[in-house]
């Protein structure tokens, strides 16, 4: 019996910090936010329960357009991160020699040493009117005057892809590393071309990693604040910026909470749809076999 | 007609020569095994036949046509991998259909062929099952079916029984042989397990350090080995080291390193007096007697003490320590009608016919 008591104790010790973290930092604030979002302001310090905030969101095209735009651009960033991350991950996991594998992986991690903010400023140094790229193009003579490369959608997308691509590479490397080379050889031996082997063996095998990477990258992008603001400026129209404005600038916590709830619901819906379309489910992605 | 021929195949990796001037011919519809210890180059040889490695020199011909330079997916040799390499993300039907799909066959044909091959291997109707739902032996058969559905000229098998437990391995040996008869296809089987090679093969090539030591039917390898390595590697043998002191016809007189003399049959030509030699005697050629009788002229007799009895059913052995310290294994019958019974510590005389002792140049010597 003592043995099972010890087991219980270690389980409790293990679960307590985790549960506290989940309850105090995730569930409670979400309940608070959810509660706030149903508070309609009818006068100074006077609130009634109702869906007015949500109605307001729908009636203002600028709000839901920003949300849709954020979602579309996040999907684009996710696709680009996958297209860039997959070859890199494949190289690290399958082509590189064992010894250089760790070094390459570390190289991917190095950008994380530097904070988001500093990295975004790095892009600004490169891309602003008086920046490195503009200057270089002028000195070569390709352009006549200084050119502003910041504050447009392409820059925002590039910056976001750069920030999140690592989170695509890590799960891909770990799934691809588990793939036995003999599967590829069997694929060729049975008559497959490079393309069929890639399409029918590599991609299906890496699917859990692809899905995990895409979910992480999409959620990170849709919830990101710093990169779109710094690189997109006033034109970025990122939904998190709207939430920030509601909370801080307009001091309208009710509306801000509504936006927060909507962002969570909307991104969750996109992830769910993505899982349905690719025929995956969350359980098989997180815990393989 | 030969389905598969190798002509002085050589493969070097840097300064290391994995396969050295190997030539062989595999007749159509036969079961050919390459037997050798791990690291002898047999896997490299198979990978060259499959097209995953290009030979440094030499030629490989499949049905008479050279395939050197042909990529693996264009060669009509299929391979059963050591760990089978069934695709885990596909079900059984899709696994078998993969090669047919690559070939661009239409759906109706694919479905029919998959059904047919599953019938032939005795697993009808498992198309919808997942790979993980099958037992080890069933996976084995699926891996073979996945290749056979493509009607290859040669099927390569890279130690496919290695991962199975003993009982299943014994069973699969027989089953593989039956499948080979049924499909009537040339099988090239790679193994380090001599009993697998002996039981299943029509011909066996014994490989050592990148070279073929001997090619022949299993009986020949067992009863008439041509080198000390083959004699020692194929089947169990007692080995006596010594020096050749005299020859008379095909009989050799050997002065043993441990002391004493032994007469044996010369197993290879060209041995000169004084050469370091090994004498091999199979345990089943030795019989044990409790009493010392007068040894016949064509018999060798040695005396020793029973060290232990190794019971293993029909393969039971008597472990005898000779007076000079050498250990000898002798066969030992234990049935009701068996002769003398022994206990550890008993004095015993071991005898065998001179012709059952084979004398070869010692390995690393001549």
């Amino acid at each position: 019996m003592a043995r099972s008591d010890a087991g219980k104790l270690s389980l409790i010790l293990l679960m307590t910090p985790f549960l506290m973290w989940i309850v105090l930092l995730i569930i409670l604030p979400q309940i608070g936010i959810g509660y706030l979002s149903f508070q309609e302001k009818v006068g100074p310090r006077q609130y009634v329960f109702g869906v007015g905030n949500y109605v307001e969101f729908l009636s203002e095209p600028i709000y839901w357009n920003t949300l849709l735009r954020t979602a579309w651009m996040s999907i684009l960033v996710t696709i680009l991160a996958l297209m860039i991350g997959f070859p890199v991950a494949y190289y690290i996991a399958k082509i590189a020699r064992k010894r250089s594998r760790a070094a390459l992986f570390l190289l991917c991690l190095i950008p994380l040493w530097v904070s988001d903010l500093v990295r975004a400023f790095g892009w600004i140094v490169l891309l602003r009117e008086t920046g490195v790229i503009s200057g270089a193009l002028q000195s070569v003579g390709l352009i006549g005057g200084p050119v502003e490369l910041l504050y447009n959608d392409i820059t925002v997308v590039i910056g976001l892809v750069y920030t999140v691509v690592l989170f695509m590479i890590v799960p891909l490397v770990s799934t691809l590393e588990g793939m036995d080379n003999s599967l590829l050889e069997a694929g060729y031996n049975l008559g497959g071309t490079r393309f069929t082997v890639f399409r029918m063996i590599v991609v299906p095998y890496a699917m859990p990693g692809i899905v995990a990477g895409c979910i992480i990258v999409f959620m990170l992008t849709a919830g990101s604040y710093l990169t779109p603001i710094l690189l997109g400026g006033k034109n970025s129209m990122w939904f998190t910026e709207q939430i920030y404005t509601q909370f801080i600038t307009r001091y309208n916590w009710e509306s801000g909470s509504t936006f927060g709830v909507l962002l969570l619901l909307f991104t969750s819906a996109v992830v769910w749809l993505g899982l349905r379309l690719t025929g995956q489910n969350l359980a098989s992605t997180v815990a393989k076999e | 007609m030969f389905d598969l021929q190798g002509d002085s195949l050589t493969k070097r990796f840097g300064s290391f020569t994995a396969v050295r001037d190997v030539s062989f011919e595999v007749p159509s519809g036969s079961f050919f095994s390459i037997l050798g210890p791990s690291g002898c180059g047999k896997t490299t040889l198979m990978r060259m036949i499959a097209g995953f490695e290009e030979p440094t020199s030499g030629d490989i011909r499949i049905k008479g046509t050279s395939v050197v330079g042909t990529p693996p997916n264009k060669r009509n040799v299929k391979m059963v991998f050591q760990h089978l390499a069934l695709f885990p993300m596909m079900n059984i039907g899709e696994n078998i259909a993969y090669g047919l799909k690559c070939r661009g066959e239409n759906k109706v044909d694919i479905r029919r062929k998959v059904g047919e091959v599953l019938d032939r291997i005795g697993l009808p109707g498992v198309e919808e099952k997942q790979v993980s739902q099958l037992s080890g032996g069933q996976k084995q058969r699926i891996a073979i079916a996945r290749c056979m559905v493509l009607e290859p000229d040669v099927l390569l098998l890279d130690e496919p029984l290695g991962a199975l437990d003993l009982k299943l391995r014994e069973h699969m040996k027989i089953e593989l042989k039956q499948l080979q008869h049924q499909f009537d296809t040339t099988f090239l089987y790679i193994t380090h397990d001599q009993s697998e090679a002996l039981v299943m093969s029509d011909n066996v090539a014994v490989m050592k350090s990148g070279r073929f030591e001997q090619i022949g039917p299993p009986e020949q390898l067992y009863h008439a080995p041509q080198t000390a390595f083959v004699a020692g590697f194929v089947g169990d043998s007692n080995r006596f080291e010594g020096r050749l002191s005299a020859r008379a016809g095909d009989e050799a007189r050997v002065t043993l390193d441990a002391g004493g003399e032994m007469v044996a049959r010369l197993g290879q030509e060209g041995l000169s007096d004084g050469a370091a030699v090994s004498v091999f005697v199979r345990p089943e050629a030795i019989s044990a007697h409790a009493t010392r009788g007068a040894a016949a002229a064509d018999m060798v007799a040695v005396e020793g003490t029973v060290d232990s009895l190794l019971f293993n059913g029909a393969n039971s052995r008597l472990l005898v320590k000779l007076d000079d310290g050498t250990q000898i294994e002798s066969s030992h019958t234990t049935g009701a009608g068996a002769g003398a019974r022994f206990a550890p510590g008993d004095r015993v005389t071991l005898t065998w016919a001179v012709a059952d002792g084979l004398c070869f140049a010692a390995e690393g010597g001549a």
Side-chain angles (χ1 to χ4, degrees):
Chain A
M1 275 298 101
R3 196 192 173 98
S4 87
D5 284 348
K8 260 184 209 159
L9 183 68
S10 64
L11 187 71
I12 290 168
L13 286 175
L14 202 71
M15 290 301 285
T16 308
F18 175 71
L19 283 176
M20 280 172 69
W21 174 57
I22 289 279
V23 171
L24 294 177
L25 294 175
I26 312 255
I27 295 178
L28 275 183
Q30 280 299 332
I31 290 171
I33 293 272
Y35 173 76
L36 264 182
S37 72
F38 288 106
Q39 296 289 311
E40 280 178 50
K41 195 169 187 172
V42 290
R45 295 210 179 170
Q46 285 196 311
Y47 299 96
V48 292
F49 189 84
V51 292
N53 294 320
Y54 291 90
V55 173
E56 194 195 336
F57 169 83
L58 289 173
S59 60
E60 280 289 352
I62 182 96
Y63 291 157
W64 51 264
N65 272 334
T66 311
L67 182 57
L68 284 181
R69 192 182 125 85
T70 304
W72 276 123
M73 282 179 71
S74 300
I75 290 170
L76 182 68
V77 167
T78 308
I79 291 168
L80 287 174
L82 178 62
M83 281 163 60
I84 295 166
F86 199 96
V88 175
Y90 192 83
Y91 186 88
I92 292 175
K94 288 282 122 191
I95 299 171
R97 285 162 188 276
K98 271 222 162 62
R99 231 181 290 163
S100 52
R101 205 174 283 170
L104 286 170
F105 209 59
L106 199 68
L107 276 179
C108 287
L109 287 169
I110 278 178
L112 284 189
W113 260 250
V114 180
S115 88
D116 261 8
L117 189 67
V118 175
R119 279 186 288 154
F121 272 119
W123 283 107
I124 293 176
V125 168
L126 284 179
L127 298 175
R128 67 181 167 192
E129 238 177 319
T130 54
V132 176
I133 291 179
S134 174
L137 288 176
Q138 283 178 73
S139 65
V140 173
L142 278 172
I143 48 170
V147 60
E148 179 62 87
L149 296 167
L150 280 174
Y151 313 127
N152 61 55
D153 288 355
I154 296 172
T155 312
V156 173
V157 168
I158 291 174
L160 282 169
V161 168
Y162 161 75
T163 324
V164 295
V165 73
L166 178 71
F167 297 94
M168 185 64 90
I169 293 175
V170 173
L172 282 178
V173 168
S174 62
T175 24
L176 285 172
E177 260 182 344
M179 182 169 69
D180 190 350
N181 280 338
S182 65
L183 287 183
L184 301 179
E185 285 182 347
Y188 289 119
N189 180 259
L190 294 166
T193 58
R194 273 167 184 279
F195 178 71
T196 35
V197 169
F198 179 76
R199 189 175 59 91
M200 293 179 69
I201 296 166
V202 178
V203 172
Y205 192 93
M207 210 42 159
I210 293 174
V211 171
C214 285
I215 292 176
I216 297 169
V217 163
F218 176 76
M219 285 304 204
L220 278 177
T221 312
S224 70
Y225 178 74
L226 215 53
T227 314
I229 301 302
L230 288 175
L231 299 183
K234 282 209 158 62
N235 306 325
S236 73
M237 303 241 302
W238 211 253
F239 198 66
T240 48
E241 195 189 354
Q242 295 280 1
I243 298 176
Y244 181 86
T245 313
Q246 295 297 334
F247 271 103
I248 307 298
T249 317
R250 300 185 50 191
Y251 210 67
N252 187 347
W253 280 46
E254 295 71 37
S255 181
S257 302
T258 310
F259 288 8
V261 170
L262 283 167
L263 181 64
L264 178 67
L265 292 179
F266 193 72
T267 48
S268 304
V270 171
V271 167
W272 177 79
L273 199 70
L275 286 173
R276 285 301 297 270
L277 287 177
T278 52
Q280 299 285 315
N281 63 62
L282 213 53
S284 76
T285 303
V286 177
K288 219 181 126 215
E289 273 157 295
Chain B
M1 180 64 189
F2 298 110
D3 269 350
L4 180 67
Q5 288 160 287
D7 264 351
S8 10
L9 276 169
T10 298
K11 176 71 187 178
R12 287 191 201 90
F13 295 104
S15 59
F16 173 69
T17 309
V19 176
R20 203 186 295 255
D21 193 29
V22 162
S23 299
F24 59 94
E25 285 164 335
V26 183
S28 292
S30 70
F31 198 120
F32 189 92
S33 291
I34 297 172
L35 171 65
S38 50
C40 73
K42 54 193 194 301
T43 299
T44 309
L45 180 61
M46 176 165 280
R47 291 175 62 81
M48 285 197 283
I49 298 168
F52 297 126
E53 308 279 357
E54 281 299 317
T56 313
S57 65
D59 194 17
I60 301 167
R61 287 194 297 280
I62 293 168
K63 290 228 185 275
T65 320
S66 173
V67 293
V68 172
T70 311
N73 53 359
K74 297 278 188 292
R75 297 186 188 194
N76 202 16
V77 277
K78 302 301 163 212
M79 183 159 169
V80 176
F81 287 80
Q82 195 166 8
H83 301 291
L84 306 181
L86 293 174
F87 305 130
M89 55 281 173
M90 301 182 194
N91 64 27
I92 299 303
E94 288 165 343
N95 257 288
I96 294 174
Y98 171 85
L100 297 168
K101 272 189 207 157
C102 288
R103 232 187 234 176
E105 300 203 7
N106 70 53
K107 282 206 172 110
V108 182
D109 280 353
I110 291 179
R111 185 186 295 267
R112 179 177 53 78
K113 285 185 182 178
V114 170
E116 276 172 11
V117 81
L118 286 176
D119 281 346
R120 291 183 81 170
I121 60 161
L123 290 170
V126 298
E127 282 98 331
E128 298 303 321
K129 284 201 179 172
Q130 292 303 315
V131 175
S132 53
Q133 286 173 281
L134 299 188
S135 70
Q138 289 172 327
K139 285 185 197 164
Q140 194 87 54
R141 281 187 270 171
I142 296 298
I144 292 167
R146 185 174 73 169
C147 295
M148 295 317 295
V149 77
L150 298 169
E151 291 159 353
D153 295 329
V154 179
L155 183 70
L156 308 176
L157 300 105
D158 184 8
E159 304 202 27
L161 304 188
L164 302 180
D165 59 64
L166 186 68
K167 193 90 184 166
L168 190 55
R169 201 152 64 212
E170 295 300 318
H171 175 72
M172 282 308 293
K173 277 184 206 168
I174 300 159
E175 194 159 306
L176 265 177
K177 183 73 187 159
Q178 285 169 342
L179 281 172
Q180 191 252 340
H181 269 298
Q182 205 186 345
F183 286 109
D184 197 24
T185 301
T186 309
F187 275 33
L188 181 74
Y189 189 89
I190 278 196
T191 183
H192 63 267
D193 181 321
Q194 39 120 349
S195 86
E196 285 175 19
L198 297 183
V199 168
M200 295 188 283
S201 317
D202 298 314
N203 279 292
V204 180
V206 179
M207 198 172 184
K208 184 207 170 197
S209 323
R211 261 189 246 271
F212 277 1
E213 291 261 321
Q214 187 175 351
I215 306 179
E219 303 81 28
Q220 195 191 6
L221 291 181
Y222 192 83
H223 292 300
Q226 284 164 3
T227 67
F229 177 76
V230 176
F233 192 71
V234 177
D236 295 331
S237 267
N238 293 295
R239 177 195 293 234
F240 304 92
E241 307 290 349
R243 291 198 173 271
L244 191 60
S245 50
R247 283 169 299 162
D250 67 345
E251 275 186 17
R253 186 167 289 275
V254 177
T255 312
L256 299 176
D257 291 348
E261 269 198 340
M262 188 177 283
V263 183
R265 188 156 58 93
L266 273 169
Q268 78 191 108
E269 306 279 309
L271 286 176
S272 52
D273 287 358
V277 290
S278 304
V279 176
F280 293 89
V281 186
R282 301 252 179 235
E284 68 267 27
I286 303 176
S287 45
H289 310 277
T291 48
R292 194 195 164 100
D298 56 350
M299 299 292 275
V300 177
V302 290
E303 272 188 70
T305 312
V306 174
D307 196 53
S308 48
L309 295 147
L310 309 174
F311 180 75
N312 182 20
N315 281 323
S316 297
R317 295 277 193 259
L318 199 60
L319 206 57
V320 176
K321 196 167 217 153
L322 300 190
D323 299 338
D324 59 21
T326 322
Q327 278 209 339
I328 294 191
E329 272 186 38
S330 148
S331 64
H332 181 47
T333 39
T334 53
R341 288 169 183 275
F342 300 97
D346 289 357
R347 289 294 289 173
V348 67
T349 303
L350 302 175
T351 60
W352 64 88
V354 166
D356 282 328
L358 278 173
C359 173
F360 294 101
E363 278 181 84

